[in-house]
Amino acid sequence: MNEIERLIALLARLPGLGPRSARRAALALIKRRESLMEPLAKALQDAAANIRNCSVCGNLDTADPCHICTDARRDATLLCVVEEVADLWALERTGAYKGRYHVLGGTLSAIDGVGPDDLRIPALVERVSAAGIDEVVLATNLTVDGQTTAHYITERLAPTGARVTLLAHGVPVGGELDYLDDGTLTAALRARRAPEG
Amino acid sequence: MNEIERLIALLARLPGLGPRSARRAALALIKRRESLMEPLAKALQDAAANIRNCSVCGNLDTADPCHICTDARRDATLLCVVEEVADLWALERTGAYKGRYHVLGGTLSAIDGVGPDDLRIPALVERVSAAGIDEVVLATNLTVDGQTTAHYITERLAPTGARVTLLAHGVPVGGELDYLDDGTLTAALRARRAPEG
């Protein structure tokens, strides 16, 4: 396998790229050697050398503890539990959350044989038991595994006395009822509320 | 901008990846540091250092002239003209072509201000004039610019005496008439032929 084929084979292993788009990406890289290919090679090296999981919350950062865990302006009494770092990023992009995080690294899964000790659940229980955390927001996904995990964590955290909350379910902002699945509509109906103001 | 953001920004510049899929790709890379991230960094470095355009045909290879130009088993009297290296790869995957190539590096375009001297057209004319080339297959795309380029090259090559041919147009293998555009159907009708055998 020559240099081009090896590059294409590696690019094709990225999520979102198949063999065809990997070839297109490889050609784009070769065409823009100085402006894209060399900087990307360097960025990958730097990231591989410097990025690690935060030992407190599981976030990815060059610092450990990460910049969220060490940010004194964030509410240390509020903890949001997410499955993956991508979920943490999604919540950070909203700018609406000012507490800290705990990244589980997945969900419980009987089929895949993932138990509590394979996730960062023991560390979560320890963290909530030890520190002055008032509220834990469970922001796992609305999948069977995500909800099973949330249920399990709720039980494990009961002895700590911390308040456990869940993200609200309902109609997405801008969502049209006609295009929504039944489960979302049902959840939105059950959680109906009086108009504000 | 930190290491993760820089990596995502560079990945998002690859064709086929947007901001969202670039984030997913970055997380996949970080998760598979040793099996994917470090090999990809090395493959990019190696490719940037070693891959160049063949000075004869414009193909990308680590050798110059490239392995196609130096392959004595290939027919040196037959030359196929393509727009980009990706087109050369597509023809090579068929295994049906045993001549050599000439990569133009694009098409003539009045709008983008691309003239013959911006492409490898002078080199093509020189190559066909000098060497013992019997036939030039024009395999530019069936776009307005691609066909304009083919027409221009046909005129430029007329004095050389080489035979100029075009790829056949028609119904793609496996194609259903109902889903084909009118232009393709028209071309297939005009080029209709007697059944074989």
Side-chain angles (χ1 to χ4, degrees):
Chain A
M1 201 189 280
N2 69 26
E3 271 85 347
I4 301 179
E5 286 164 355
R6 188 157 48 231
L7 177 59
I8 293 172
L10 286 165
L11 287 170
R13 288 173 56 196
L14 293 178
L17 287 183
R20 189 187 186 85
S21 45
R23 286 196 297 268
R24 281 182 57 218
L27 284 172
L29 283 162
I30 294 167
K31 269 201 174 176
R32 290 186 278 170
R33 190 181 308 238
E34 285 176 24
S35 68
L36 188 54
M37 194 178 211
E38 288 168 357
L40 181 57
K42 183 158 188 327
L44 285 165
Q45 275 186 315
D46 290 350
N50 297 320
I51 293 173
R52 65 208 72 199
N53 283 101
C54 172
S55 57
V56 178
C57 77
N59 185 20
L60 290 168
D61 203 342
T62 50
D64 182 14
C66 75
H67 72 281
I68 293 178
C69 284
T70 54
D71 186 344
R73 290 164 304 179
R74 298 188 77 120
D75 186 350
T77 69
L78 182 61
L79 199 63
C80 181
V81 176
V82 293
E83 293 178 15
E84 299 286 358
V85 173
D87 304 321
L88 184 160
W89 290 356
L91 287 163
E92 281 299 286
R93 283 197 299 277
T94 67
Y97 179 71
K98 296 299 175 196
R100 293 187 178 161
Y101 290 96
H102 195 87
V103 181
L104 295 174
T107 56
L108 297 175
S109 168
I111 291 174
D112 297 332
V114 181
D117 294 343
D118 300 317
L119 304 174
R120 304 185 73 255
I121 289 179
L124 172 65
V125 175
E126 199 178 321
R127 203 174 162 192
V128 177
S129 305
I133 289 172
D134 297 334
E135 180 180 349
V136 177
V137 185
L138 297 182
T140 52
N141 288 323
L142 284 190
T143 56
V144 171
D145 283 345
Q147 294 306 293
T148 305
T149 307
H151 191 79
Y152 176 82
I153 290 176
T154 305
E155 289 187 349
R156 285 286 299 268
L157 292 182
T160 67
R163 189 156 63 99
V164 175
T165 56
L166 299 167
L167 290 186
H169 304 163
V171 181
V173 176
E176 296 182 54
L177 297 198
D178 195 23
Y179 290 93
L180 277 179
D181 62 290
D182 295 347
T184 302
L185 265 186
T186 306
L189 263 175
R190 285 196 185 138
R192 66 190 181 276
R193 55 182 177 75
E196 281 162 20
Chain B
M1 200 189 281
N2 69 25
E3 271 87 348
I4 302 179
E5 287 163 353
R6 188 156 48 232
L7 177 60
I8 293 172
L10 286 164
L11 287 170
R13 288 173 55 196
L14 293 178
L17 288 184
R20 187 188 186 83
S21 45
R23 285 195 298 268
R24 280 181 58 216
L27 284 172
L29 284 161
I30 294 168
K31 270 202 173 177
R32 289 186 278 170
R33 192 182 305 238
E34 283 178 26
S35 68
L36 188 54
M37 194 178 211
E38 289 168 357
L40 181 57
K42 182 155 188 330
L44 285 165
Q45 275 186 317
D46 289 350
N50 297 320
I51 294 172
R52 65 209 73 199
N53 283 100
C54 171
S55 58
V56 178
C57 76
N59 186 20
L60 290 168
D61 203 341
T62 50
D64 181 16
C66 74
H67 72 280
I68 293 179
C69 284
T70 54
D71 185 346
R73 290 163 305 178
R74 299 188 76 119
D75 185 350
T77 69
L78 182 60
L79 199 62
C80 181
V81 177
V82 293
E83 293 177 15
E84 300 285 358
V85 173
D87 305 321
L88 184 160
W89 289 355
L91 286 164
E92 281 299 286
R93 282 198 298 277
T94 68
Y97 179 71
K98 297 297 177 196
R100 293 186 178 162
Y101 291 96
H102 194 87
V103 182
L104 295 175
T107 56
L108 298 173
S109 168
I111 289 174
D112 297 331
V114 180
D117 294 343
D118 300 316
L119 304 175
R120 305 184 73 254
I121 289 180
L124 172 66
V125 175
E126 199 177 319
R127 202 174 162 193
V128 177
S129 306
I133 289 172
D134 297 334
E135 180 181 349
V136 177
V137 185
L138 298 182
T140 51
N141 288 324
L142 283 190
T143 56
V144 172
D145 283 345
Q147 293 307 292
T148 305
T149 307
H151 191 81
Y152 176 82
I153 290 175
T154 306
E155 289 189 348
R156 285 285 301 268
L157 292 183
T160 67
R163 189 158 63 101
V164 174
T165 55
L166 299 168
L167 290 186
H169 304 164
V171 181
V173 176
E176 296 183 51
L177 297 197
D178 195 23
Y179 290 92
L180 276 178
D181 63 291
D182 295 349
T184 301
L185 265 186
T186 307
L189 263 175
R190 285 194 186 140
R192 66 189 181 278
R193 55 183 176 74
E196 282 161 20

